[in-house]
Amino acid sequence: MFGWIAISLLVAAAGLLALRLLPRLRPYHSLLGGGCVLLLVTTLFLRTSNPVGEFLLGTSAGGPFLPRQVFGVLWWILGAWLCKSLLDLVLTRTFFPDNDEPHARRLFADLASGLIYLFAFFGIVGTVFNEPVSTLLATSGVLAIVLGLALQNTLGDVLSGLAINIERPFGAGDWISLADQTSGQVMQVNWRATRLRTWAHDMVVIPNSVVTKAIVTNHSRPAGAHHCNIRLSVDPVTPPSQVIAALVAAATGSSHMAHATLPQA
């Protein structure tokens, strides 16, 4: 018979199913449906001391004798997917509420997803197939050391990318300059590199480890008017007063001049 734990899980599953029918919760239908299925799997299959679980797993007469491991693997994978989806929702609502930097949000979500699915893999090996996890962890540790030595430059770029997205000295759309005179508008910061669009509309790809070691000037922060120096080469035979007057007139007529400011030449 169903115990109080199984009844509570079934009631919770029914509640999630009822919430999924509400039109205003349409963006969360996949989460609510996944949670409902996870609760049902937990109630009917992983807890076999109920009539439905005994029938499906073949412990009672006439059951189809479905393999218990299939439902165990389904439970772990579905749970990992739900954790990953909830984390992505939290990142969207808290750290990236305007979704103006989808690449930065994706960077954190991908890293967390990898860790969550790795934990689910070890859970499947240890709890579903009853294999010793310690041996697998030892082998994985040796493999991680080998990969770390072989990919140390790439790992440095990845960690630098995480540091950039945590500190956020610049974001997508900001105009920045590096100490080596490289400048442009930030297009995205992904796993390995930062992409800039230069004044000439070229794309420059800079490894994240180089960006974190360089002196970066952000021309878009703080918001407001900024002082800008432009150097020009002029024919020496041209009178200086004529050059200065032409430069001041050109700068004054620019739509990018801040209000109540005068250019100097």
Side-chain angles (χ1 to χ4, degrees):
M1 295 299 294
F2 289 99
W4 67 271
I5 297 180
I7 294 176
S8 301
L9 293 174
L10 288 174
V11 170
L16 292 179
L17 183 60
L19 291 175
R20 192 177 184 276
L21 299 177
L22 297 178
R24 52 191 278 177
L25 297 179
R26 185 178 298 275
Y28 311 106
H29 278 185
S30 59
L31 283 175
L32 296 173
C36 179
V37 174
L38 182 64
L39 291 176
L40 290 177
V41 171
T42 305
T43 306
L44 303 179
F45 306 128
L46 298 186
R47 300 182 58 83
T48 57
S49 57
N50 61 76
V52 179
E54 292 177 355
F55 175 78
L56 291 175
L57 296 176
T59 55
S60 63
F65 193 68
L66 298 177
R68 182 186 179 93
Q69 288 81 359
V70 172
F71 300 108
V73 172
L74 175 64
W75 187 86
W76 278 101
I77 293 178
L78 186 57
W81 177 81
L82 281 173
C83 292
K84 173 251 182 188
S85 300
L86 287 173
L87 178 64
D88 201 9
L89 181 63
V90 170
L91 289 175
T92 304
R93 293 298 183 89
T94 55
F95 296 101
F96 308 97
D98 299 327
N99 202 27
D100 56 345
E101 296 184 86
H103 300 287
R105 176 174 56 83
R106 196 73 263 150
L107 185 66
F108 285 99
D110 289 344
L111 180 62
S113 298
L115 295 176
I116 290 172
Y117 282 112
L118 182 63
F119 177 77
F121 171 75
F122 285 116
I124 291 172
V125 172
T127 62
V128 178
F129 297 103
N130 297 321
E131 296 292 337
V133 181
S134 57
T135 305
L136 187 60
L137 287 175
T139 305
S140 301
V142 175
L143 182 61
I145 294 175
V146 174
L147 290 176
L149 293 175
L151 303 174
Q152 54 183 336
N153 292 332
T154 302
L155 290 176
D157 292 333
V158 171
L159 295 178
S160 298
L162 289 175
I164 292 174
N165 284 286
I166 291 174
E167 187 180 357
R168 303 180 74 176
F170 52 81
D174 291 350
W175 288 90
I176 65 172
S177 296
L178 275 63
D180 61 354
Q181 305 304 316
T182 301
S183 62
Q185 186 180 33
V186 179
M187 298 174 62
Q188 62 168 301
V189 181
N190 58 22
W191 278 95
R192 194 192 67 82
T194 298
R195 285 175 165 79
L196 303 181
R197 181 190 292 110
T198 66
W199 300 96
H201 287 276
D202 297 325
M203 185 176 70
V204 179
V205 180
I206 308 173
N208 289 328
S209 58
V210 175
V211 177
T212 54
K213 294 177 182 179
I215 299 176
V216 180
T217 302
N218 193 332
H219 302 289
S220 301
R221 300 180 189 178
H226 289 262
H227 185 269
C228 181
N229 292 323
I230 300 177
R231 295 182 179 272
L232 300 175
S233 298
V234 182
D235 192 339
V237 301
T238 306
S241 58
Q242 182 179 348
V243 175
I244 292 175
L247 292 176
V248 171
T252 304
S254 173
S255 60
H256 297 287
M257 282 291 298
H259 180 66
T261 59
L262 296 175
Q264 295 179 343

